[in-house]
Amino acid sequence: MEEVKVLGSWPSPYGYRVQWALELKGVEYEYIDEDLFNKSDMLLKYNPVHKKIPVLVRHGKSIAESAVILEYIEETWPQNPLLPKDPYERAMARFWINFVDNKDKAAPIVTFFIGVGEEHKKATEETKELLKILEEQALGEKKYFGGDEIGMVDLAMGWMAYFGVIEEIVDVKILDAESFPRLHAWIQNFRAHPVIKSNLPDHDKLLVSYTQKRQMFLGSTTT
Amino acid sequence: MADEVKLFGMWASPYSRRVELALKLKGIPYEYIEEDLSNKSSLLLKYNPVHQKIPVLVHNGKPIAESLVILEYIDESWRNNPVLPQDPYDRAMARFWAKFIDEKIQPTARNANLAEGKEREQAVEECYQQLKMLDNELKGKSFFGGDTIGYLDIAALVIAFWPPKENMSTMLELAMKPQKLLLPTKYQDDDLHLPPMFDLPHGIFQT
């Protein structure tokens, strides 16, 4: 009997990636939700280097960093593969996961969420450029980033599936069907996938959570 | 049909050296193209439009960018002398620490190099703690990869490229004590008959 634990923290998309991968492969696991303002001894023990989620624990050994965990899951449970067989296609998948996980590249998205004024305007334009690269070069004509089936890159792009909540909060819409038809279609397909559908954060709860987070950064209170 | 392998690199880039080391360890013939980063070639921009950086490996006309992605590709395409371990958990550890080098150690080292005064002291201390953690992974082995150079050893090569500016040397002194870090000495070994590509720019660790 496999004993797999996943430490995550709702609604982190990095945590969801790991859960989605295990669910897609039909692997049973115990999910433990962490309060990142009050980290458990378990988290500190299993990820002493970064003290972050997600962490996967199996046979008493822990693995941190979602991209590393995804590769481990793929190698340990090869059913319903999340990476293509061809080495070049695999390299492309890893390239895009690396791209979206690059903190410098993703910085505009953060500023889009918590920035104001001129800074926010600039971040909006930069986020659009980022999305354009993803739409045209990463996704292209495919249904999923992984091709006909959901793959590892789709899981890494999962944050986009609930990006709409952020747009609602900052009251700026950029990921619309007219500007990004393929990404928009991808979001619908991804959200509708039977495994993903039952493992998505609730919209209303997200709205509350993200609004709080944003206000924390802005240092303001609701009127 | 013979394989055509080209590598776009830059002589002083440790990331480009990572790829060269992997190719040499596997005995893969390749054409090396030196890029002038202040005047990037149209080929480079064509092969890496997203980042416009080196290294880029072009295998039979198909480009791959990002040194660690390239290492994985090389390991999967040429199966001799594997650089990644076999066991999934060991592979995860190698990948984890390589990421740690690129996302933590390298940026901290850069900060230590550029900062002054109190900020520099803090960055140096932080870097030392990070190096200690990585060093701990050697645990009495000759290399991270065991008896032979592996993926993480190749990734860690970047540490040998830190410029010996005054402040960096100080940091390395700090890194050497109280217990001498094993890391730096690994790149000096002549017994492994490594190709003479370890012409380290500054010979920091040579005694």
Side-chain angles (χ1 to χ4, degrees):
Chain A
M1 183 65 189
E2 301 285 9
E3 203 212 68
V4 180
K5 287 203 231 287
V6 174
L7 279 69
S9 186
W10 187 94
S12 162
Y14 299 101
Y16 268 108
R17 286 177 183 186
V18 175
Q19 289 186 266
W20 289 329
L22 293 169
E23 299 276 345
L24 284 163
K25 288 172 180 279
V27 178
E28 280 186 30
Y29 63 96
E30 181 195 348
Y31 175 75
I32 297 147
D33 201 75
E34 283 283 329
D35 172 2
L36 297 180
F37 292 105
N38 189 19
K39 293 175 181 177
S40 72
D41 292 338
M42 196 193 287
L43 174 58
L44 301 177
K45 166 182 157 187
Y46 285 134
N47 190 2
V49 176
H50 299 297
K51 306 179 174 66
K52 286 182 170 180
I53 57 92
V55 183
L56 183 133
V57 186
R58 179 171 176 250
H59 298 164
K61 298 203 274 199
S62 59
I63 300 153
E65 293 299 293
S66 64
V68 176
I69 298 171
L70 288 177
E71 296 262 11
Y72 174 81
I73 290 172
E74 179 70 358
E75 289 168 3
T76 305
W77 296 284
Q79 68 270 26
N80 297 353
L82 298 173
L83 278 177
K85 279 199 165 56
D86 173 68
Y88 186 74
E89 298 302 313
R90 290 163 77 91
M92 290 304 101
R94 289 177 176 131
F95 175 86
W96 289 114
I97 295 170
N98 182 280
F99 177 82
V100 87
D101 279 359
N102 183 315
K103 292 279 182 272
D104 297 328
K105 288 282 175 198
I109 302 174
V110 176
T111 312
F112 175 75
F113 179 40
I114 58 172
V116 287
E118 271 311 304
E119 205 188 36
H120 189 263
K121 268 205 196 128
K122 184 163 173 252
T124 304
E125 290 316 303
E126 288 174 341
T127 302
K128 284 187 196 165
E129 279 163 32
L130 245 165
L131 292 173
K132 187 161 184 272
I133 293 173
L134 293 178
E135 162 125 342
E136 293 174 2
Q137 299 185 47
L139 182 60
E141 302 291 330
K142 298 173 292 186
K143 180 180 182 188
Y144 293 112
F145 290 93
D148 295 324
E149 304 289 338
I150 279 192
M152 218 183 264
V153 183
D154 298 272
L155 303 190
M157 301 292 175
W159 58 271
M160 247 192 278
Y162 41 103
F163 185 68
V165 178
I166 293 179
E167 289 175 300
E168 246 183 89
I169 293 168
V170 304
D171 202 17
V172 175
K173 185 89 185 146
I174 45 180
L175 228 175
D176 57 274
E178 204 186 302
S179 315
F180 300 101
R182 292 179 221 153
L183 285 181
H184 193 258
W186 175 84
I187 292 173
Q188 313 316 309
N189 287 326
F190 186 76
R191 290 186 66 99
H193 187 284
V195 170
I196 305 297
K197 198 162 130 174
S198 45
N199 289 284
L200 277 173
D202 172 75
H203 171 271
D204 295 341
K205 291 202 175 100
L206 267 179
L207 203 58
V208 171
S209 171
Y210 279 168
T211 304
Q212 276 173 0
K213 279 200 178 91
R214 185 164 185 266
Q215 273 157 7
M216 218 168 67
F217 283 110
L218 295 177
S220 59
T221 51
T222 45
T223 45
Chain B
M1 187 182 91
D3 267 329
E4 192 201 57
V5 181
K6 289 191 219 246
L7 174 63
F8 289 79
M10 206 274 277
W11 70 273
S13 162
Y15 302 101
S16 159
R17 293 291 181 125
R18 279 178 174 171
V19 179
E20 284 199 271
L21 180 50
L23 291 169
K24 288 185 200 234
L25 283 168
K26 287 181 183 266
I28 301 162
Y30 63 98
E31 180 195 343
Y32 176 79
I33 296 133
E34 176 72 20
E35 277 288 326
D36 173 1
L37 297 181
S38 62
N39 186 20
K40 293 172 183 176
S41 73
S42 53
L43 267 180
L44 175 63
L45 300 179
K46 165 184 154 186
Y47 285 137
N48 190 2
V50 174
H51 298 296
Q52 304 182 354
K53 287 181 170 180
I54 55 91
V56 178
L57 187 84
V58 184
H59 184 201
N60 296 331
K62 300 207 269 189
I64 301 135
E66 295 299 298
S67 64
L68 295 180
V69 174
I70 298 171
L71 290 187
E72 298 248 11
Y73 175 80
I74 289 172
D75 216 34
E76 288 177 357
S77 301
W78 290 274
R79 301 290 199 160
N80 60 314
N81 301 354
V83 297
L84 273 165
Q86 289 295 99
D87 174 71
Y89 179 76
D90 296 336
R91 290 163 76 89
M93 289 303 102
R95 289 171 175 138
F96 174 88
W97 288 109
K99 238 174 171 270
F100 183 75
I101 290 169
D102 282 0
E103 292 173 11
K104 296 288 174 196
I105 295 181
Q106 285 290 85
T108 310
R110 251 175 254 136
N111 285 347
N113 202 27
L114 297 169
E116 311 232 313
K118 192 86 187 152
E119 217 188 295
R120 188 184 82 81
E121 261 178 58
Q122 282 172 342
V124 167
E125 177 59 25
E126 197 183 344
C127 200
Y128 172 55
Q129 294 301 333
Q130 290 169 345
L131 282 172
K132 235 169 74 166
M133 283 195 254
L134 179 62
D135 195 69
N136 191 49
E137 289 303 302
L138 272 170
K139 296 194 250 276
K141 295 179 290 186
S142 295
F143 297 99
F144 292 110
D147 295 322
T148 54
I149 282 188
Y151 172 91
L152 184 52
D153 301 276
I154 298 172
L157 175 68
V158 304
I159 293 168
F161 275 67
W162 287 345
K165 286 190 187 172
E166 214 175 290
N167 42 8
M168 289 299 282
S169 301
T170 311
M171 178 178 71
L172 289 168
E173 276 167 42
L174 274 174
M176 298 295 191
K177 59 175 190 171
Q179 73 229 71
K180 194 169 176 166
L181 288 182
L182 300 171
L183 260 178
T185 60
K186 291 310 152 196
Y187 301 104
Q188 298 299 299
D189 200 326
D190 288 333
D191 294 348
L192 294 168
H193 311 293
L194 285 172
M197 58 154 302
F198 281 110
D199 46 337
L200 299 178
H202 310 286
I204 309 165
F205 303 116
Q206 277 155 6
T207 47

